[in-house]
Structure formats: C-alpha cells, structure tokens
Amino acid sequence: MRIHKVHVKNFRALRDTELSLNDTTALIGENNAGKSAFLIAIDLFFQAAPQLSQNDYSDGNFSEPIEITIYFCDLTPHDRKEFESNLVGDHFILTRRFRYGNAGDSGQFFVSARVNPEFTDCRSESGKTPKMALYNKLREKFSVLPKVKSADEIEPSLENWESANPDSLQLHKVGSFKGWTNVAVGKLKAKTEYIFVRASHDAAVELQTNKKSPVKELINTIARQTIENNSKFKEVLEAANKEIQELTDPSKVPALADIGMNLTKILNDYYKDSEIITTWKPIDSIQPSFPASEIAVKDKDFTTNIDGVGHGLQRAIMLTTLQYMARRRVSVEPNEAKFAEPQSDIIIAIEEPEIYQHPIKQRLFAKVLQSLGEDFSQITGIRIQTIYVTHSPLLVSLAKCQDIRVIRYRPSVTKNVTVSKTSLQSCAQKLAEIDSAGTATVMSDQKLAAKLHTFKGEIAEGFFADCVVLVEGAGDKAILDAYYKSIGRDPHADGIVIAEVGGKNNLAKTIVVFDQLGIPCYWIFDNDKSGKKKDIKNKNKELQRLAEISADKCVEYPVGPNSRFAAWEEKIEKYVIDTAGPAFAESVKALTDEFDDTEADDWLKTPSPANALIKLLREKGIIFNELQMIVVFIDALRSESLDAK
C-alpha cells in the first residue's frame, strides 16, 4: 500500500491538518513549520509500542486525543485480500487514536467504513451483557434486526442490515480494527514497511548503534520482502503451513482432549459439580526467519564499523542503498521472472537528505529519490514511496512542482499548519484561462513539464523565499540587485529571491507555479512596443491578468510599476541610461579603470560593474523613482505573506 493522504489532529503544531502525498513528495518550509511533525506522526502510526509525552499534544490539550488518519491507496494483491471488507472505494482508511494518561485505551485503531452510525455504541461495547442490552434497544428502532442468542451473533446481524440498506450508510470510524494493537500493526506491516531516517547530526548513532538503524532496517526489509515475494518461497511456506496445521489440529490429537478430562477429575476432588473445559486453537501459520544484515565500511584500505567514517559517507550509505533499488528495478534480465504488479511496499521518509553532501551529490540524490517512485521492481515485486524534508533548492525543481508541499505554520491566523500544493494540470488550466486571444488549449502534463525542464536550476531557490521576483534576463537581475545594494539592503537577507527566467515567454509558466504554491511573486518585463515579436500584445495582457486585472482593463503595452508587476517601454538598461542622463557616461568613464575589460554593452548586465555604477549614480544624486516603487511593492507583498504567519 502507498499513502495517499495523512490527516493529523492535536499532534504538536498539527492541530487539524491534511497532507497529500505523491509517489515522491518534497516537504519544504521554514524551520519549526511542522514538516518533520508529519513524518513523526506517520512513524507513530506504524509503531507497535509508540511512546508519547505531554509535549506531543497541541498546546497541552490533553482532553482531546491525538488522531492520525492515513488514507492508503494502490493496495497489493495481499492487502486487497486482507482488507477487502474495509475498503471505501479504492482506499483503505485507518485512524490511530492516542489518549493521554490512558494506556489501556491509547493506540487503538479505527477503520473508516460506510456503516450505520447508530450502531457505533453497540459495536464499541466490549461487555457481552451490556452489548446485548444495546442491541435489543436498537431492535426497537430497527425492527428487521433479528433476535440473537449471544453477543457473538450481533456483528453479523448489523453487517447484514448494512448490506441491505446501502443508502442509509455514512462514512464512520469503526473501532477494534483487527483486534489488539500489536495485531493491527502486524497486519499493516505484513506488506508495507515505513522507514524513518531522521536528520540526526550524530549519524553514527542514527545508522548503526541505534536499535532501529534505518540503514539496517532498509536493507533487512529489502531482503525480507524479496524473499517473501518469491513464488517458490510462497509455495514452500504454504505447504509447510498446511502440514503444520494438520499436525496440530486438536481434533487429531486425542491427548489434548484428555487434558481437560483429567483436570476435571482432579478438580472434582474439591468441587464435585465443577468442570474444566479446554478448547484448543490450531496453529494458523509458522513465522519464518529472514537474513539479517551487518554493516561494515572499507574506506581507504581501512575496514571499520560505520561510526569510524565521516558523516558524509555515513549518510551516503542510506542513499547508496536507495540508488541500488532504483537501478535494480530497471535491470530485468530476459529470462528472469517478472511480477505484473507490486507485491509489497517500502515507504521511506527522510529528513534533509542533503546533510553532509556536496552539491553534485545532492543533485544525484534528487534524481535517485525521484526515480524510486516512478515504478516498481519487476524482479523483487518491491515498490517504493519516498517523502523527504529538504532545505536545498537542488532537491526540488519547477518541472516536478506537483511533488512539492509548502508547509507553513500560521499562529496568527489559524494557529495551525497549512499545506500548499499544485499540479501540472492546474497550472496548465490557469495558463489556458489567461489567454486573451481565446485560442489556447490546456497543455498536457507531459508538455508543460517539458517546458518547465528548460529553466535554470537556480530558480528553485524561489520555493524557499518569502517573496520571489521574476525577471526576463541578466540585465534586469543585475540592475535590481544593484539598486537594493545601493540603498543598503540585501534581498537574500530579507528572504527575497531575484530569479531570471530567460525571456518573457517563460514568465507566465513560472508565475503560475509560485502563485499556486502560495509564494508571493512579483514580475518585471519589457512591453516590447517597438519590437516586432508576434503576439506580443496577448503576452502583455496575460501577464496583467495574472495580477488579477480583469480582461477589459488590460492594456496592450503596460508601462511602469504595479502592485504585482512592472513593465518597461523598452529595456530596463535604457530606463537607467535615460534617467541618469549625462551622468551615466561620466560614471562609466570614472569606473573604466576598475572594470577595463568590461564591454560597453555589459556594464548593466554584469553584477560587479552594475553594482558600482548604480552606487555611483545615486551618489551623484540620480533618483530612480520607478526602481524605488518596485522595492516598495515587493516589500508590501513580502509583509503580507509574513503577517499571515
């Protein structure tokens, strides 16, 4: 099974928040926004004996339970058979509830099913006598419910009523899923394993000395699932189980029946009218053992335990294992047996996979993490879903924007965590809607993704910004950055990213992505009034419509700063030159010795000369009103975003 969605209530910052997941999902956001809380909540859900503290309850709200609900999808053949009666459509919805100070009632599972909610109290009652009383009370309202002789007959009667009255059912949490908590966890983890890799700064403890080492857990899980999914292993285990059931069938072992009879004879010496009745449950199956791994590392001719090597290598071993899995799934030999569908799942959650890794390695890991979720291994039958928390722009991209979740903590608004997401389909739909010519069609996901792949990787920094400023080219970026520096400000220090998109045609696609993820966006472009580019009027109107300007108020050639965008009649370089007047040539001449190898056309396109030139022009008293207005509008966008936190 894969996780389609997780809904968390009353756990740390997650007061009541949902997170949807793809095959690969990247969680981004500020520190302490609640990103890791989602991963920890899922880990608690899967643990056999989870431990919680007072601090785990939101604002110390102990009166309400912590609830973690997971919507599972894409069930394996084993899971479909195991949970068939619990499915809601194609989903298996399971809730785990934790109550503070009530160990006996904490950690219980509840399955969501379409049921009659009025049957809930009767179903939840564990005592046989009160359960019978509740059932008889139900019969007063639901007269078609049959009489029963014992409490064991109640549930089948309720289920029969529900089967005959589907229109009267509602989605409701039903308790006592699969009996005891540890039994339920065992059923869940039979074919689905959740492995959580924390962002531990003591990687040796994380990877080797911990009782639950994620590296060993992953490698052991791969080994176990590979063996379990093997058809020959299944045949042998099935035959062994059948034989062991035959050998231990109580009806075929007379000595078991004699135990109760002989105990009764002895008891009668004390109580003549008493009897000891013994019943025997046959063994359903045997539990096989699987190979367990031990990890050592040979580094520069020196072999040691994993804690004897550097942090980067320690962390890389986990990702090396994942890369092995990514390669293994595609290297199917012609004569190898192939699975037609996944047989088991590994869900891997990783905090900051970029820790201790050089940028080149980070880019490689991004590709590996992405490839893991794209398909399953036809050799082993193993499918992998990955969730990772990252602060690195090298692990996210515009082309994979649908896999990004922006996590924000909003204490001043909702006192809750919010999750923003987008999809290629919704971005394509928005691009078609703003087409003022009315001729655009909605691009396919593949076509839009291909267009987004052309962007430079640096633009991904915008996903981590308080406000992103999109410009056409190098000149726009150099001049705007230089102006910020000339007024004593650093955009990065203010959480502002200025990113070039490589031309006006790329602006709309980028704006839509950032807007849908809730990242404040400002854009700067040339209106190209004097140019000969085709369809330029329509492009100008599209960029205005993205600023929520109605179609009837859009102009063909916008000029000047706006609250969401700024447009130049020609280029920003010409604006600077015209505003400076004679002072521009004088300043260039004064700086020639310092930048003697700079071409005349590059003075306002190269960061260092542009910084020096804008600074000198401002010292000469030149005022760039439009640039200052742009800064004010950007600050307003950024402040609006920060105020919402």
Side-chain angles (χ1 to χ4, degrees), residues 9-247:
K9 291 183 179 181
N10 202 32
F11 179 67
R12 299 188 182 181
L14 309 178
R15 288 168 177 80
D16 191 348
T17 311
E18 284 189 354
L19 172 69
S20 64
L21 298 174
N22 292 348
D23 300 339
T24 303
T25 308
L27 309 186
I28 66 175
E30 294 184 350
N31 290 329
N32 300 315
K35 304 182 297 296
S36 294
F38 280 111
L39 306 189
I40 297 169
I42 300 172
D43 192 43
L44 286 171
F45 181 93
F46 277 97
Q47 286 184 27
Q51 301 294 319
L52 289 96
S53 69
Q54 296 181 8
N55 295 330
D56 289 320
Y57 290 78
S58 298
D59 293 330
N61 182 13
F62 308 132
S63 61
E64 295 295 327
I66 291 172
E67 282 195 355
I68 304 166
T69 301
I70 294 184
Y71 294 68
F72 291 100
C73 63
D74 301 331
L75 276 66
T76 64
H78 172 276
D79 291 329
R80 286 197 296 269
K81 182 179 179 181
E82 181 70 43
F83 306 125
E84 181 179 10
S85 61
N86 302 118
L87 297 183
V88 179
D90 294 330
H91 287 80
F92 173 47
I93 308 169
L94 199 60
T95 298
R96 196 168 191 188
R97 185 176 293 164
F98 300 93
R99 294 190 181 278
Y100 180 73
N102 190 339
D105 190 33
S106 189
Q108 286 189 350
F109 285 93
F110 299 81
V111 64
S112 292
R114 293 190 59 80
V115 297
N116 184 343
E118 295 187 66
F119 294 171
T120 300
D121 290 343
C122 182
R123 279 183 159 130
S124 301
E125 179 56 58
S126 57
K128 292 188 177 183
T129 300
K131 192 179 189 75
M132 287 289 288
L134 289 170
Y135 180 76
N136 289 329
K137 189 174 182 179
L138 283 174
R139 291 188 67 243
E140 295 175 5
K141 182 174 182 179
F142 303 96
S143 58
V144 295
L145 286 173
K147 289 184 178 181
V148 296
K149 295 180 179 180
S150 70
D152 294 337
E153 298 176 15
I154 291 176
E155 183 58 33
S157 299
L158 299 179
E159 289 180 356
N160 289 337
W161 186 96
E162 288 169 338
S163 297
N165 298 272
D167 295 338
S168 300
L169 308 183
Q170 298 177 22
L171 193 63
H172 197 73
K173 294 183 177 69
V174 180
S176 301
F177 169 73
K178 295 295 178 185
W180 300 102
T181 295
N182 59 343
V183 175
V185 171
K187 295 289 185 181
L188 280 175
K189 298 180 72 172
K191 291 296 179 181
T192 303
E193 191 75 31
Y194 180 77
I195 297 174
F196 182 25
V197 186
R198 294 177 178 270
S200 171
H201 291 283
D202 189 350
V205 174
E206 171 191 304
L207 296 174
Q208 181 71 44
T209 61
N210 212 339
K211 290 183 179 179
K212 190 179 180 182
S213 162
V215 166
K216 295 183 69 172
E217 189 179 6
L218 175 60
I219 293 175
N220 290 345
T221 298
I222 292 170
R224 174 177 60 80
Q225 290 191 0
T226 300
I227 294 171
E228 283 183 329
N229 295 340
N230 181 274
S231 58
K232 184 63 176 177
F233 176 83
K234 291 179 181 178
E235 292 174 7
V236 171
L237 186 61
E238 184 178 351
N241 282 332
K242 185 176 181 179
E243 186 169 350
I244 202 72
Q245 289 169 7
E246 289 284 334
L247 291 172

Side-chain angles (χ1 to χ4, degrees), residues 3-8 11 14 17-43 194 196-197 199 315 347-354 369-370 385-397 400-409 417-422 460 463-465 517 519:
I3 298 176
H4 169 67
K5 181 172 63 176
V6 57
H7 186 184
V8 185
F11 179 67
L14 309 178
T17 311
E18 284 189 354
L19 172 69
S20 64
L21 298 174
N22 292 348
D23 300 339
T24 303
T25 308
L27 309 186
I28 66 175
E30 294 184 350
N31 290 329
N32 300 315
K35 304 182 297 296
S36 294
F38 280 111
L39 306 189
I40 297 169
I42 300 172
D43 192 43
Y194 180 77
F196 182 25
V197 186
R315 188 79 174 176
I347 302 169
I348 303 174
I350 310 175
E351 286 183 321
E352 302 177 42
E354 67 270 16
L369 291 170
Q370 191 65 48
Q385 181 179 23
T386 58
I387 317 162
Y388 61 94
V389 170
T390 183
H391 295 280
S392 172
L394 301 180
L395 270 73
V396 291
S397 70
K400 298 295 182 181
C401 61
Q402 75 276 9
D403 294 332
I404 295 173
R405 302 292 181 269
V406 182
I407 314 297
R408 297 180 178 90
Y409 180 47
V417 169
T418 62
V419 180
S420 299
K421 65 176 183 176
T422 186
F463 292 124
F464 302 87
L517 287 172
I519 299 169

Side-chain angles (χ1 to χ4, degrees), residues 286-306:
I286 58 176
Q287 298 299 319
S289 297
F290 297 95
S293 64
E294 292 295 336
I295 302 173
V297 179
K298 184 175 183 180
D299 185 40
K300 297 181 177 62
D301 296 325
F302 179 69
T303 301
T304 181
N305 290 333
I306 201 167

Side-chain angles (χ1 to χ4, degrees), residues 28-33 406-418 463-467 494-496 517-520 637-645:
I28 66 175
E30 294 184 350
N31 290 329
N32 300 315
V406 182
I407 314 297
R408 297 180 178 90
Y409 180 47
R410 303 288 199 185
S412 63
V413 181
T414 60
K415 293 186 177 181
N416 196 16
V417 169
T418 62
F463 292 124
F464 302 87
D466 292 328
C467 183
D494 292 337
I496 298 169
L517 287 172
I519 299 169
L637 273 176
R638 175 176 172 271
S639 296
E640 184 179 337
S641 173
L642 293 175
D643 288 344
K645 294 181 179 179

Side-chain angles (χ1 to χ4, degrees), residues 319-577:
L319 293 157
T320 297
T321 307
L322 298 181
Q323 188 172 356
Y324 160 78
M325 291 297 295
R327 290 178 176 176
R328 179 65 170 159
R329 69 186 53 227
V330 296
S331 59
V332 181
E333 297 297 328
N335 296 326
E336 281 188 292
K338 301 178 184 179
F339 288 103
E341 62 178 318
Q343 302 297 303
S344 57
D345 288 278
I346 302 175
I347 302 169
I348 303 174
I350 310 175
E351 286 183 321
E352 302 177 42
E354 67 270 16
I355 287 180
Y356 309 120
Q357 304 305 322
H358 289 295
I360 294 175
K361 293 293 190 296
Q362 291 183 38
R363 292 185 189 277
L364 172 62
F365 293 156
K367 294 177 183 178
V368 170
L369 291 170
Q370 191 65 48
S371 66
L372 284 170
E374 291 175 351
D375 203 351
F376 74 99
S377 172
Q378 294 181 343
I379 304 169
T380 64
I382 298 173
R383 178 174 54 188
I384 296 179
Q385 181 179 23
T386 58
I387 317 162
Y388 61 94
V389 170
T390 183
H391 295 280
S392 172
L394 301 180
L395 270 73
V396 291
S397 70
L398 276 179
K400 298 295 182 181
C401 61
Q402 75 276 9
D403 294 332
I404 295 173
R405 302 292 181 269
V406 182
I407 314 297
R408 297 180 178 90
Y409 180 47
R410 303 288 199 185
S412 63
V413 181
T414 60
K415 293 186 177 181
N416 196 16
V417 169
T418 62
V419 180
S420 299
K421 65 176 183 176
T422 186
S423 68
L424 292 172
Q425 184 179 26
S426 63
C427 289
Q429 182 66 44
K430 182 64 177 179
L431 291 170
E433 289 174 2
I434 63 169
D435 175 49
S436 60
T439 58
T441 57
V442 179
M443 283 184 282
S444 67
D445 288 3
Q446 293 79 6
K447 185 174 182 180
L448 181 55
K451 290 180 177 292
L452 293 174
H453 268 297
T454 63
F455 286 89
K456 294 181 179 178
E458 291 83 351
I459 201 168
E461 290 183 16
F463 292 124
F464 302 87
D466 292 328
C467 183
V468 59
V469 182
L470 302 174
V471 299
E472 288 193 51
D476 307 87
K477 178 176 170 60
I479 291 171
L480 188 58
D481 194 62
Y483 184 76
Y484 266 101
K485 288 182 171 61
S486 74
I487 60 175
R489 292 181 58 183
D490 182 345
H492 283 107
D494 292 337
I496 298 169
V497 169
I498 304 171
E500 57 177 294
V501 301
K504 179 187 288 188
N505 289 339
N506 289 330
L507 274 171
K509 295 187 286 288
T510 321
I511 294 165
V512 167
V513 172
F514 285 115
D515 267 357
Q516 295 202 0
L517 287 172
I519 299 169
C521 187
Y522 194 90
W523 53 99
I524 300 173
F525 61 97
D526 308 332
N527 71 19
D528 297 312
K529 185 175 182 180
S530 60
K532 297 181 180 180
K533 296 180 180 179
K534 295 180 179 179
D535 202 27
I536 195 61
K537 296 177 183 179
N538 186 38
K539 291 293 181 186
N540 287 337
K541 290 181 179 180
E542 287 177 2
L543 293 172
Q544 293 171 77
R545 293 196 66 188
L546 284 171
E548 299 182 359
I549 296 175
S550 60
D552 60 316
K553 293 184 178 180
C554 292
V555 298
E556 294 179 348
Y557 299 105
V559 178
N562 180 281
S563 61
R564 292 293 308 277
F565 68 86
W568 309 108
E569 188 163 348
E570 294 190 47
K571 291 185 175 296
I572 192 172
E573 292 92 338
K574 189 174 187 305
Y575 161 76
V576 171
I577 293 170

